[in-house]
Amino acid sequence: MDTLIERLKSKLTEKGYKLTTQRRIILDVILENQGNHLSSEEIYDKVKSKYPEIGLATVYRTLQLLEELGIVYKVNFNDGYNRYEVSSSTGDHRHHHLVCLKCGKVIEVKLDLLENLENRIEKESKFKIVDHNVKFFGYCEECSK
Amino acid sequence: MDTLIERLKSKLTEKGYKLTTQRRIILDVILENQGNHLSSEEIYDKVKSKYPEIGLATVYRTLQLLEELGIVYKVNFNDGYNRYEVSSSTGDHRHHHLVCLKCGKVIEVKLDLLENLENRIEKESKFKIVDHNVKFFGYCEECSK
DNA sequence: TTAATTGCAAATGGTTTGCAATATT
DNA sequence: AATATTGCAAACCATTTGCAATTAA
């Protein structure tokens, strides 16, 4: 059984919210596209093919809700869209993004060398870190040729 | 003499653009507020008090131009505004942002422990890095009490 | 002189909101 | 049955654009 849907279900009832078909399908679409950083409208399009009656507003409202519940998190590539990604409960979304300045491609890198940095910042600035967002800008292999 | 205005001047003439009063004043305002990450409209308001005839569109156009010329760079705090900061020519805008999830305060940290990470990414992924953008989310000293 | 720039007002486009109808608990 | 949720259309709001008037080179 899909754990994330379970998690959605319990978080919703916990707060007196309801589990609707629309909410289920929106989460399904995000799950099926993990790592693709879909924008709100891309999610809308994909949901629409499974459930054509859905309204755009429902998608926006659901994405906000999923973020509020900690099921999903927002990724910003400065391209004018809100993008969403599953935020795994195990805290392993510690990956970084390489954004190509020429073709716009986004590559993911999973390295976790940031812990030293976090520790040092926490010590020096008395700031309690709970998440980070790291983007590197440059040129991908093809574009740097 | 202010080096940055000189830099603006030469970059403009180099590309056949003109140095107008409006452009000068907009850069002045950004310079006077270094480290404050002013949004486009905050910049507009401050410019307006020095030059009331200015139009909002001119501010937006100038900010785009300054970014294109590499004089200024965009900072995104996911709050719906474009924010701008002077990009020093010496490449020392290698600072990170600590964004407090409770009060929204943004603290700057100047540490440069990211070079190892950049080197490793460049090696492993064949991606040529030219800049980075790092944000840590958490709770500032007051809010974590 | 002449090409770039400005200010204004209107347009754009992603996101949000009000509301009556509908679905979940 | 009671309340949350939906879909639609209209509103929002930061940013962009068209254009005639103005200004720097």
Side-chain angles (χ1 to χ4, degrees), chain B residues 49-110:
Chain B
S49 69
K50 300 187 176 200
Y51 193 95
E53 319 89 283
I54 201 153
L56 182 54
T58 303
V59 174
Y60 276 97
R61 280 186 288 231
T62 302
L63 291 172
Q64 274 183 190
L65 181 67
L66 292 176
E67 200 193 6
E68 186 189 318
L69 298 177
I71 290 177
V72 125
Y73 67 98
K74 215 187 276 179
V75 192
N76 190 304
F77 292 147
N78 262 62
D79 59 357
Y81 301 96
N82 281 148
R83 300 180 171 280
Y84 293 88
E85 200 46 59
V86 181
S87 71
S88 76
S89 50
T90 54
D92 70 319
H93 65 275
R94 306 232 158 256
H95 57 256
H96 316 128
H97 292 123
L98 308 182
V99 183
C100 181
L101 294 168
K102 194 165 174 205
C103 67
K105 185 169 29 191
V106 177
I107 301 163
E108 280 187 18
V109 187
K110 298 197 186 197

Side-chain angles (χ1 to χ4, degrees), chain A residues 32-143:
Chain A
E32 284 161 13
N33 290 278
Q34 271 195 267
N36 292 346
H37 313 101
L38 298 186
S39 68
S40 312
E41 290 208 73
E42 285 167 344
I43 293 169
Y44 171 63
D45 289 340
K46 289 188 190 292
V47 170
K48 206 156 189 183
S49 71
K50 300 187 174 197
Y51 193 96
E53 321 87 283
I54 201 153
L56 182 53
T58 302
V59 174
Y60 277 96
R61 280 185 288 230
T62 302
L63 292 173
Q64 276 182 189
L65 181 67
L66 292 176
E67 199 192 8
E68 187 190 317
L69 299 178
I71 290 176
V72 125
Y73 67 98
K74 217 189 276 178
V75 192
N76 190 305
F77 294 147
N78 262 63
D79 59 356
Y81 301 97
N82 281 347
R83 299 179 172 281
Y84 294 87
E85 198 47 59
V86 181
S87 71
S88 76
S89 52
T90 55
D92 70 320
H93 64 276
R94 306 234 158 254
H95 58 258
H96 315 127
H97 292 122
L98 309 182
V99 183
C100 181
L101 295 168
K102 196 166 173 203
C103 67
K105 185 169 28 192
V106 177
I107 301 162
E108 280 188 17
V109 187
K110 300 200 184 194
L111 276 180
D112 210 1
L113 297 169
L114 246 55
E115 279 186 14
N116 292 335
L117 190 53
E118 286 197 359
N119 292 338
R120 198 166 148 190
I121 289 173
E122 291 202 336
K123 211 170 288 171
E124 295 187 16
S125 64
K126 291 169 184 157
F127 189 93
K128 179 75 198 132
I129 296 172
V130 300
D131 195 10
H132 63 226
N133 178 335
V134 182
K135 273 174 282 180
F136 294 94
F137 299 94
Y139 299 95
C140 69
E141 198 173 357
E142 295 85 70
C143 291

